[in-house]
Amino acid sequence: MLRTALRNVLAHKARLLMTVLAVMLGVAFVAGTLVFTNTISDAYQKSSQKGFKGVDVAITPDKKDDDAAHPGEAPRLSQRLLDQAAKSPGAASAYGVVKGSSSLADKKGDLIGGGFSNLGGNYYPGANGKDPRYNMAEGRAPKSAGEIALDSRTAERGHYKAGDSIRVSVDGPVRTEKVVGVFTTDDGNVAAGGTLALYDTVTAQKLFGKPGQFDEIDVKAAAGTSQSTLKSSIDKILPEQAKANTAKKLAKDQAKAIEEGMSSMQTAMLVFAGIALFVGIFIIVNTFSMLVAQRTRELALMRAVGATRRQVTRSVLIEATVVGAVAAVVGLAAGVGIGAVLRSVLNSTGATVPDGPLVVAPTTVLTSVVVGVVVTVLSAWLPGRRAAKIPPVAAMNSVHAAPTTRGLVVRNTIGTILAAAGAALVVTGARMGSDGKGPMAFGAAVLVIGVFVLTPLLSRPLIAAAAPVLRIFGMPGKLARQNAVRNPRRTAATASALMVGLTLITGMTVIAGSMQKGIDKMAADGLRSDYVVSMGTPGGRPLSPEVSKSLAKLPEVTSISPLRSSPARVAGDSASLMGVDPKAIKDQVGMDFTEGSFGALGGTKALVDDKIADKNHWKVGSVIPVTYEDGRGGKLTVGGIYEGNQMINGVMVDSATVTPHMATVADFQVMLKTKGGATEHNKDLLKKTLGQNPAIKIQNKQDISDEIASAFTLMLNMLYGLLAMAVIVAVLGVINTLAMSVFERSKEIGMLRAIGLDRGGIKRMVRLESLVISLFGGVLGLSLGVFFGWAAGELIATELPSYELVLPWPRMGLFLLMAALVGVIAALWPARRAAKLNMLAAIKAE
């Protein structure tokens, strides 16, 4: 039986090629994902380990999450603690670390690094005058205010050298500094495309709002002192809100954090690899079903000479194992190439990955082989089982056992139950709010399976609906329709492969378009300001109060309100107090009040959003205990309750009330209105007033909507690219089905040629059959996609009240056109093959 199985594989190389390609693509995606994420993770881990070179123990602040007395930012480390650490038994040296954000402009005025990670720090010279973290490759280290040192990669990108001047922004206002040195570093953020600017310690502490304080103290052990021994020594001098960790533990923790950060990307990509493999299952089932049908006489003969049912099934599974193993090996090799390409693509976007070898872990190899073989064998099991059930006598007489009426009734009943249950679960999940994600996801899977089971039943009426159009093409059109429904199960499996991909693409497009409409509406209704000014780099960096003061002096600015955020404990819970100008805020935002109004804001009277009010059972006049950022207590009175949204929510108070309690006075946004509204002239004037600062964003309503839209568009384009794999596999499925169909109908095609149907008519018949099957899958995919898009939108609407369902008709039409194109392309080779059949040889074919 083993020899028979291997012979059959070699005898049907061309027919099994599509199956190999389908499995290979899925395995390549799995392997490529694992290689890519393992490579990046390994590169970052090695880079982070280099960053701990010269550090044995690190002292950091230890902010307790439940610290009700000090709800503000984490405590900082003093110069006194640094001096004590340097003198601790077993310590060779210690240096203080100051961290912050510092955006750098190139010589054209553009932001270097695109805001990926614009960091600032301090150069802390030891006894020898050098900082072991940084090696000065050019010039010297900064020693006083107005001096700066750049990392070598940033200096190269910005074309800077020692002696040049550079424009810098720390918290808003533009500063001009002198580049006095260029250094090299193993910092992982720099290796990944970020920038690092160094100042002398005193200047760094002043710029980053930490006078006399450090964010971290790094201690180097003396010769012969272990990290654990040094840590024990350091622990004895630590104040209450500080902790010490060995460099080994920090490196381990950072490696774990990097791995966790990569896991979400890996999971997302593996999901799409799984979709491609799921679509490939339809092809494998189709291929082996047709191969078994073509070998009924051979299988019957084997049964007649003594082969058992198990042996017949086993021979089919052996074929599948060989095919799966070949596909897995080829897919693994292709996956390694995909991993390398993905890393190059990531580098080309500016997010430079630290240098390192391509990592092909043993688990990647094992996973690829197991996935390829298991998927193929499981998919071939049902056709193998069917092959074993064929009665030898019936098969010897070429009496192919058609599905019984009872079998079809059972299938349709099961499909109806699954589809109805799945749809009910999806609708129920949509009505459950944020708790409905689980039921909805499970219901969606059940519904897709139910529709797949029902597809043979659905194929007849839906394909029959195309009859009027197919009549235009005469006899080839009529034959194409009849051929498409001749084997409903095969048509269903082929169409379902395309259906899965289009369901996901359509659903995501509906959600993205609807969310964008909701965000546009929220911006239009919620924002009354002409411009919103904020830092343009990630991380929610604050703005200096000087920014709003400079803008307020402009005669063109008619109303302005800085927005400040201060951590606090409100009624015992962690929260943020949003400080605003009570006189100007009503001109900047549009909010609907359930109780009270803007007029109540001021002094110790606060406005709270409806969700917080409902949670705490507050109403106008309720008194709220509050612990401010500096640990002082107080009381606020609810003056109004408003309907919060994604842009404005939380506890709103007068800036004059919260500012005295802030450790660092800064704004996270500045809202303003101008004479004449949002015009290019006014925008240019604001930019000029702020010194053409590349790190500051000045946005109107449309800019804010476009920025959010660009994030959705980028995500959607990535998803389209990933789902294209499933569509490619679906194309292979259509080609495979048509090729097998042409082979089965060789005699019939020969008869058609003999009675007058020319080669053009044969080609047209096969192409139309392919087109009908593809459009059938496309219609099912679009319908399910719209349904899932609506259901997911109901969940999103609970968090985004302005969400509004939008059906992207042009794109949906494009997707249907794409399905038709898939059918046309897939039919090229089978149609050509059918037209080339010799009519006499075809008529003789059995």
Side-chain angles (χ1 to χ4, degrees):
M1 295 302 294
L2 177 62
R3 286 198 300 272
T4 302
L6 294 176
R7 188 184 70 246
N8 285 328
V9 171
L10 296 174
H12 303 104
K13 293 188 291 290
R15 297 177 209 171
L16 291 168
L17 178 62
M18 297 302 173
T19 298
V20 171
L21 286 174
V23 178
M24 182 269 291
L25 285 172
V27 171
F29 208 158
V30 171
T33 296
L34 295 175
V35 169
F36 173 63
T37 52
N38 288 342
T39 297
I40 293 180
S41 180
D42 181 71
Y44 277 122
Q45 286 180 22
K46 288 181 178 177
S47 179
S48 67
Q49 288 170 2
K50 291 179 182 177
F52 291 112
K53 185 180 178 182
V55 180
D56 289 302
V57 173
I59 304 173
T60 55
D62 186 18
K63 177 71 173 71
K64 303 294 191 299
D65 294 335
D66 58 350
D67 187 358
H70 300 87
E73 61 184 33
R76 292 174 184 142
L77 310 175
S78 66
Q79 180 69 45
R80 180 172 175 272
L81 180 59
L82 173 60
D83 295 337
Q84 288 179 321
K87 296 175 183 177
S88 295
S93 60
Y95 54 89
V97 179
V98 183
K99 302 175 183 177
S101 297
S102 185
S103 300
L104 310 172
D106 61 21
K107 293 186 176 180
K108 295 180 181 178
D110 297 326
L111 187 67
I112 302 177
F116 166 70
S117 182
N118 305 115
L119 302 178
N122 69 313
Y123 188 90
Y124 192 91
N128 60 357
K130 296 181 179 179
D131 188 327
R133 298 169 295 170
Y134 311 111
N135 179 39
M136 301 307 298
E138 180 186 345
R140 60 173 176 83
K143 296 179 180 178
S144 60
E147 295 182 345
I148 193 173
L150 306 178
D151 70 87
S152 56
R153 295 194 183 199
T154 298
E156 183 180 351
R157 282 186 287 174
H159 304 289
Y160 287 112
K161 61 182 184 298
D164 290 344
S165 294
I166 184 171
R167 297 171 72 241
V168 182
S169 174
V170 174
D171 58 0
V174 176
R175 305 165 53 89
T176 301
E177 311 278 10
K178 182 180 180 182
V179 180
V180 296
V182 176
F183 61 90
T184 57
T185 177
D186 291 322
D187 190 295
N189 288 305
V190 173
T195 63
L196 178 60
L198 297 182
Y199 305 85
D200 69 279
T201 298
V202 174
T203 301
Q205 290 173 331
K206 181 180 177 182
L207 287 175
F208 304 138
K210 307 162 186 176
Q213 303 290 316
F214 298 97
D215 295 292
E216 185 178 310
I217 294 174
D218 293 337
V219 188
K220 176 69 176 173
T225 303
S226 67
Q227 290 186 357
S228 57
T229 302
L230 178 59
K231 179 182 179 300
S232 298
S233 176
I234 295 293
D235 284 339
K236 297 175 183 178
I237 64 167
L238 293 180
E240 182 182 353
Q241 290 189 313
K243 61 181 178 181
N245 286 299
T246 62
K248 287 181 180 178
K249 185 178 186 304
L250 290 173
K252 184 178 179 180
D253 291 345
Q254 195 165 47
K256 184 179 179 182
I258 290 170
E259 189 175 339
E260 288 175 354
M262 294 301 301
S263 66
S264 57
M265 178 193 295
Q266 187 181 80
T267 301
M269 294 179 70
L270 287 176
V271 165
F272 290 100
I275 292 169
L277 284 167
F278 178 68
V279 172
I281 287 172
F282 296 121
I283 298 177
I284 300 167
V285 172
N286 254 1
T287 301
F288 279 93
S289 294
M290 288 183 273
L291 287 175
V292 166
Q294 291 166 16
R295 286 162 40 206
T296 50
R297 284 198 172 191
E298 177 188 330
L299 294 173
L301 182 59
M302 290 169 61
R303 290 289 311 283
V305 297
T308 64
R309 286 187 175 186
R310 286 187 178 181
Q311 286 179 314
V312 171
T313 303
R314 200 177 301 136
S315 71
V316 175
L317 295 182
I318 290 172
E319 289 181 51
T321 302
V322 173
V323 171
V326 171
V329 171
V330 177
L332 175 62
V336 174
I338 289 174
V341 169
L342 286 175
R343 185 172 68 170
S344 299
V345 169
L346 191 64
N347 286 338
S348 68
T349 63
T352 310
V353 179
D355 295 332
L358 209 62
V359 178
V360 184
T363 52
T364 301
V365 177
L366 182 63
T367 301
S368 301
V369 173
V370 169
V371 166
V373 173
V374 169
V375 167
T376 310
V377 170
L378 288 179
S379 303
W381 177 78
L382 189 59
R385 190 166 172 270
R386 284 180 189 159
K389 283 185 175 182
I390 298 174
V393 175
M396 290 291 285
N397 288 281
S398 297
V399 181
H400 292 222
T404 62
T405 303
R406 180 175 174 274
L408 291 174
V409 169
V410 170
R411 175 175 180 141
N412 293 339
T413 302
I414 293 173
T416 302
I417 293 171
L418 287 174
L425 278 171
V426 170
V427 173
T428 301
R431 303 301 184 198
M432 291 173 63
S434 58
D435 296 329
K437 295 177 183 177
M440 181 179 290
F442 180 70
V446 173
L447 177 56
V448 169
I449 294 171
V451 171
F452 168 63
V453 175
L454 276 178
T455 307
L457 178 66
L458 297 173
S459 63
R460 290 187 177 276
L462 288 178
I463 291 176
V469 178
L470 292 175
R471 286 196 193 102
I472 299 173
F473 298 93
M475 186 54 66
K478 182 179 180 181
L479 292 171
R481 183 181 65 79
Q482 292 174 348
N483 291 334
V485 296
R486 177 182 294 185
N487 191 329
R489 288 183 174 177
R490 184 188 302 168
T491 298
T494 306
S496 295
L498 191 59
M499 176 193 77
V500 172
L502 281 180
T503 295
L504 293 167
I505 290 174
T506 304
M508 290 171 183
T509 304
V510 169
I511 293 169
S514 301
M515 283 192 71
Q516 184 55 48
K517 181 70 178 290
I519 289 164
D520 287 344
K521 186 178 180 182
M522 183 176 67
D525 296 343
L527 273 181
R528 292 179 181 171
S529 59
D530 293 323
Y531 293 103
V532 176
V533 181
S534 62
M535 291 298 287
T537 52
R541 286 168 50 189
L543 286 165
S544 166
E546 296 301 319
V547 171
S548 61
K549 291 178 181 177
S550 298
L551 295 174
K553 293 176 182 177
L554 290 173
E556 287 80 4
V557 175
T558 58
S559 174
I560 185 168
S561 176
L563 273 62
R564 293 175 181 171
S565 179
S566 176
R569 294 191 75 83
V570 179
D573 294 329
S574 296
S576 269
L577 299 177
M578 182 167 60
V580 300
D581 183 329
K583 294 181 180 178
I585 190 64
K586 61 184 178 182
D587 297 326
Q588 310 300 333
V589 296
M591 298 191 307
D592 295 324
F593 283 83
T594 57
E595 290 186 63
S597 66
F598 275 120
L601 182 62
T604 58
K605 286 192 175 182
L607 305 180
V608 299
D609 72 53
D610 51 352
K611 289 186 179 179
I612 295 178
D614 291 342
K615 177 184 175 183
N616 294 280
H617 307 291
W618 293 338
K619 57 185 178 180
V620 170
S622 296
V623 178
I624 311 168
V626 59
T627 303
Y628 292 102
E629 183 177 347
D630 58 1
R632 295 181 183 178
K635 291 183 178 180
L636 295 174
T637 303
V638 177
I641 299 174
Y642 64 92
E643 294 180 4
N645 55 46
Q646 297 293 324
M647 303 183 75
I648 301 292
N649 56 63
V651 180
M652 188 183 298
V653 297
D654 188 340
S655 285
T657 301
V658 73
T659 299
H661 301 285
M662 296 177 68
T664 302
V665 179
D667 306 321
F668 68 88
Q669 273 184 355
V670 176
M671 293 182 169
L672 55 93
K673 291 184 76 70
T674 55
K675 293 178 181 177
T679 64
E680 284 299 318
H681 170 74
N682 284 338
K683 191 172 186 177
D684 290 340
L685 178 64
L686 297 179
K687 286 182 178 178
K688 186 177 179 181
T689 303
L690 297 177
Q692 299 291 341
N693 193 324
I696 289 183
K697 288 189 299 188
I698 301 173
Q699 299 174 295
N700 57 26
K701 295 178 187 179
Q702 191 59 48
D703 293 332
I704 293 172
S705 293
D706 290 345
E707 182 179 54
I708 299 172
S710 65
F712 281 128
T713 302
L714 177 62
M715 180 184 70
L716 201 60
N717 288 338
M718 289 176 62
L719 294 177
Y720 284 166
L722 294 171
L723 288 171
M725 185 72 71
V727 175
I728 291 171
V729 175
V731 171
L732 294 176
V734 179
I735 295 173
N736 203 21
T737 297
L738 291 174
M740 294 294 185
S741 181
V742 167
F743 178 85
E744 286 181 352
R745 302 202 310 263
S746 296
K747 187 171 185 177
E748 178 185 318
I749 290 171
M751 291 293 293
L752 290 171
R753 289 289 315 282
I755 61 175
L757 191 62
D758 60 12
R759 289 186 173 180
I762 295 293
K763 285 183 179 180
R764 199 154 44 248
M765 176 187 72
V766 176
R767 287 171 184 164
L768 288 172
E769 179 183 350
S770 175
L771 184 63
V772 167
I773 293 173
S774 298
L775 285 175
F776 171 50
V779 169
L780 288 180
L782 288 176
S783 303
L784 284 174
V786 169
F787 178 63
F788 291 147
W790 163 81
E794 292 296 298
L795 292 184
I796 295 170
T798 60
E799 300 294 331
L800 183 67
S802 57
Y803 182 91
E804 183 179 331
L805 181 66
V806 175
L807 295 182
W809 294 108
R811 286 207 177 189
M812 288 165 63
L814 185 64
F815 295 156
L816 201 59
L817 186 63
M818 183 183 72
L821 187 62
V822 164
V824 171
I825 293 174
L828 291 177
W829 177 65
R832 189 166 174 268
R833 182 183 174 193
K836 282 191 170 184
L837 285 175
N838 182 291
M839 70 177 74
L840 294 178
I843 291 172
K844 288 182 182 179
E846 295 186 8

